Amino acid sequence: MQFDGDLAEIRFGAGLSPLVRPPASAEVILGRLQGADEMAVRFPVSRFDDAFARAKEFRRLRRERKRLEGQQGYEAADKAFSAYRRAHNAARIKWHGQRLLRHVYTRDAFRERLVLFWADHFTAQGKNGALRILAAPYAETVIRPHVAGRFEDMLIAAATSPLMLHYLDQNRSAGPESRAAKRRKRLSGLNENLAREVLELHTLGVDGPYGQADVRQLAELFTGLTASQDKGFVFRPGMAEPGAETVLGQTYGGGKPELDQVLAALRDLARHPATAQHLAWKLAVHFTSDQPEPGLVSHLAARYQDSGGDLLQVYAALLEHPAAWQPDLRNVKPPFGYVASACRALAVPEVRFSELRPRQLNRLLLAPLTPMGQRWEFSGGPDGWPEEDMSWVTPHALAARLRWAMAAPRRLAQPLPDPRVFATAALGRFANERVRFAARAAETQSEAVGLILTSPAFQRR
Amino acid sequence: MRLTRRSLLNRSALLGCSLAASPLVTPVSFAAAPWDTRLVVIILRGGMDALDAVQPYGDPALAGLRQTLSGGPQAGAADLDGFYALHPALAPLLPLWRAGELGFVQAVSTPYRDRRSHFDGQDLLEAGTAALGGARGGWLNRFLQQMPGVEARTAFAIGQERMLLLDGAAPVSQWAPGAGLAMSPQAERLAGLLMEEDPLFHTALNEALELTRQDLSLGSEDAADGSASGMMQAAPKGRAHTEIAAYAAEQLRGDTRIAAFSINGWDTHYRQASGLKAALGRLSETVLKLRSGLGTGIWGKTAVAAVTEFGRTVRENGTGGTDHGTGGAMLLAGGAIRGGRVLGRWPGLEEADLYDRRDLLPTADVRQHLAWLLHGLAGARKSDLERNVFPGLAMAEDPGLLL
């Protein structure tokens, strides 16, 4: 296999940049991934616990406003809540900007791609006004530190995150025979949501070797996983179903309910061969093609299995396989990746982001993702965003990409780059004759830049 | 005698025509489309207050629950049938009511209970399932999957909003009018040249350009606006709904049989009098725009169903509004509708009649009515509807929504 730096940046990174030289080898890519997380320091995003505390304050102010309804002091409470809510949303937009800036400036772009990939694999969303800003802090604290570690550690971090417990209703799930359920008649009882998704989406995969009984047993084992506003994650033995549970033939617990029993089950699921197969398939699809080469998938699965789910080893297996370097660009960038790689190609100055007011940043860089088909941080379900190229290249979504590409660059980079230079900066050797012709023949500079950014060569990776 | 659709339908009914032979389900002149009726589904996002839109002023308990809202005929609402009165902002639709082309169903809801979240409520309304996570995609798409001869143009999701109810395996079209491609002819040609070698992109581009041209021929202002303001916004604020309705009508005059879109702004916790007036005004304008856009012929075989994720509290709150509730109302319009009636069993507003002592008690599942519409309009089989489209639903007795 011949390592190809341009292709590495495009396929495994955030696209080409006029500022950052492509990595020289797969070892360099993996080395940076093991090294310090430079971008997290340079463009910080709130840690989960801090953002979770914000959500608490949000609720407190909202309660206060409600309490004063129709009374004196209501207007002040209303004002305080509205101001907080504005700041709340502004924070979310700011974090979005920070994450884009990481894509513009990083020399460790594979890490950014992996954070996006795994945060999507473990999709979790806030379902109310207080929590809906938490997706970026969740990716920051729950996912990011684990992307080059062991899969089981990431699985445990995600499955015990307050955001996941809220998103998939684990919070309220109590064993039917638990003390809590006996004390409180109106408790909703067992909720299978998280247990099902852990098996179906996070570990074994929908075709995995599990049945409804396993879902039920895992749901009973999960009872007790909750979150509190003050402490974050809490294991409450009082909500846990008494007795042992059997998942995939393995028995857990039996005595006093303990968190360790849950974690043991998660570790076993993480090491299961079906999980290796499922994750290998997902990685191969995400980084190479909707129909990945079976040889690549089995190569990744074997390495996962041999290394006990050491993700760094799995990435090494990916980067050493010839199928990963197939020279045609195939996968279509999803909208976030598209916009991020355009910002990188344009080398949008950091100061440009800090000049933008939250509302402007939203209009320019966040809201446009919605008509492109990706309402950012709010995918339709726990299965995250689709991988199929077809789902991004609809007339409606493609029109949104074109509109953005024609209008946004001149607001992001002034002056716009010379289109002929930009074609090479954005596409390297993938700037084919058609792209070069369009760059020359366009009537205006912004149309030329827009056309380069909408060429299939730029939209695929 | 001049045969209109309505007289034909009435005649068929008199003759005791079977459903299969009804002109409503027999494609006559449109060989390309699998059936000939039109269905428009409007999602009213935010939770429409049923008690203010279609005011049950005949219920003696209403006045005690609503201090400033839902004042009935005394406050300018139009009496419909001696029990219900129509909110003044829906008055533009009164001619339709009198023509039998407008009706309502009161006290309906999805199976969604208790949490009263917009997010989950809308998801469930669009999923069409008994509980969240029941089936992937939306009910209207699953309906399309049951029908033969469905093409991408058969159903259209319109607007920027994601229309979950049309998500799924069956091909559907989606477009936001006024969100077209405003490029110079030169840039258009060059984009075509760039994408020519990549069929996926090339097909989508041509379709987008075609839809943009249709937009322009409709006179959409924003599509012609090459400025950056068109980058992500559709029609200018306040006009989006009529643009969408006009666009829907345009499509429905062609091969499209189903259109779905949203009207937002129903979450009236505060100063409902003005908020609801605006939202109902948009709904009125939307229905009228559909009717004028479709023309008499197609309007005659059209059913419009406007549904919402939940109703609102029966009591007015301390800020002149209402909070998230349960039972709600559904609006029906169109020439195919047997209107002029408010359907639905009225549960009453006494404390003991309420759901959770605060909300209108739903007396029917809104999915039953939607299922009967699909059955009557397109001939979808009851077994398919109960098993696949709305899994586990019992359609119960035919409410007779259609002519």
Side-chain angles (χ1 to χ4, degrees), chain B residues 296-381:
Chain B
T296 321
I298 294 179
W299 177 252
K301 48 191 171 188
T302 295
V304 180
V307 289
T308 189
E309 68 260 34
F310 43 59
R312 309 189 70 82
T313 48
V314 296
R315 286 181 197 84
E316 198 172 314
N317 67 18
T319 55
T322 51
D323 297 314
H324 301 182
T326 308
M330 156 184 203
L331 173 145
L332 295 163
I337 287 292
R338 200 141 68 86
R341 305 173 302 163
V342 181
L343 298 172
R345 189 169 68 74
W346 181 245
L349 292 174
E350 293 299 331
E351 176 102 7
D353 301 328
L354 301 178
Y355 179 78
D356 216 7
R357 294 171 49 218
R358 53 172 268 156
D359 303 340
L360 185 64
L361 180 78
T363 56
D365 190 326
V366 69
R367 298 176 304 155
Q368 292 169 333
H369 296 88
L370 296 168
W372 282 107
L373 283 178
L374 295 176
H375 177 67
L377 288 171
R381 281 200 301 270

Side-chain angles (χ1 to χ4, degrees), chain A residues 363 383 403 434 441 447 460, chain B residues 179 184 186 193 198 232:
Chain A
R363 281 176 56 91
D383 50 345
R403 284 199 308 280
R434 281 170 193 262
E447 280 188 350
R460 292 185 181 273
Chain B
S184 68
Q186 173 83 324
L193 174 82
D198 192 320
M232 44 256 173

Side-chain angles (χ1 to χ4, degrees), chain A residues 280 283-285 288 292-301 317-319 321-324:
Chain A
L283 281 163
V285 167
T288 67
E293 268 190 36
L296 174 62
V297 178
S298 53
H299 184 62
L300 298 183
L318 173 67
L319 296 181
H321 198 278

Side-chain angles (χ1 to χ4, degrees), chain A residues 174-191:
Chain A
E177 300 299 322
S178 67
R179 277 182 281 139
K182 292 204 165 124
R183 217 171 34 241
R184 289 170 53 190
K185 286 209 175 66
R186 282 204 56 183
L187 216 67
S188 49
L190 198 66
N191 190 309

Side-chain angles (χ1 to χ4, degrees), chain A residues 75-351:
Chain A
E75 277 194 14
D78 183 51
K79 219 179 232 159
F81 174 65
S82 301
Y84 199 81
R85 183 167 52 190
R86 252 196 317 281
H88 207 56
N89 293 331
R92 174 173 172 254
I93 294 165
K94 163 92 176 159
W95 299 332
H96 179 68
Q98 297 286 76
R99 295 185 77 183
L100 287 173
L101 279 170
R102 292 175 182 181
H103 282 75
V104 176
Y105 289 102
T106 186
R107 27 176 227 134
D108 181 15
F110 190 40
R111 186 194 302 263
E112 301 304 331
R113 289 287 304 282
L114 290 168
V115 172
L116 290 170
F117 173 82
W118 289 114
D120 183 67
H121 180 77
F122 289 111
T123 292
Q125 298 162 5
K127 297 191 283 189
N128 57 46
L131 298 178
R132 59 193 300 130
I133 63 161
L134 288 178
Y138 165 84
E140 192 68 10
T141 303
V142 179
I143 302 298
R144 195 169 178 104
H146 296 293
V147 294
R150 285 191 181 276
F151 177 73
E152 61 191 54
D153 295 330
M154 190 165 17
L155 172 66
I156 288 170
T160 57
S161 160
L163 188 63
M164 182 68 85
L165 298 172
H166 152 83
Y167 179 52
L168 294 178
D169 306 315
Q170 185 61 41
N171 255 340
R172 274 189 297 279
S173 181
E177 300 299 322
S178 67
R179 277 182 281 139
K182 292 204 165 124
R183 217 171 34 241
R184 289 170 53 190
K185 286 209 175 66
R186 282 204 56 183
L187 216 67
S188 49
L190 198 66
N191 190 309
E192 295 178 356
N193 206 355
L194 178 64
R196 179 178 304 283
E197 303 306 9
V198 163
L199 294 171
E200 176 185 328
L201 301 175
H202 302 158
T203 62
L204 307 176
V206 68
D207 303 320
Y210 66 94
Q212 175 56 33
D214 294 307
V215 174
R216 179 90 191 168
Q217 288 283 297
L218 188 61
E220 290 189 5
L221 183 61
F222 277 177
T223 51
L225 302 180
T226 65
S228 99
Q229 265 193 35
D230 296 311
K231 288 182 237 150
F233 172 70
V234 191
F235 182 73
R236 294 187 206 278
M239 289 176 79
E241 180 72 357
E245 281 90 17
T246 305
V247 182
L248 303 183
Q250 183 72 41
T251 303
Y252 302 92
K256 199 160 125 315
E258 275 166 11
L259 178 59
D260 279 350
Q261 299 152 1
V262 179
L263 303 189
L266 288 171
R267 286 207 180 85
D268 288 345
L269 286 170
R271 289 174 199 162
H272 197 283
T275 301
Q277 193 64 32
H278 178 215
L279 299 180
W281 169 264
K282 277 197 75 169
L283 281 163
V285 167
H286 184 79
F287 284 103
T288 67
S289 147
D290 289 359
Q291 269 86 42
E293 268 190 36
L296 174 62
V297 178
S298 53
H299 184 62
L300 298 183
R303 188 68 58 86
Y304 181 98
Q305 194 77 351
D306 293 345
S307 66
D310 180 346
L311 294 173
L312 199 74
Q313 299 287 326
V314 179
Y315 307 147
L318 173 67
L319 296 181
E320 77 195 12
H321 198 278
W325 300 97
Q326 202 276 342
D328 297 337
L329 301 178
R330 282 174 295 188
N331 278 340
V332 174
K333 295 171 184 171
F336 181 95
Y338 176 63
V339 166
S341 61
C343 289
R344 183 173 171 89
L346 289 162
V348 181
E350 192 179 339
V351 58

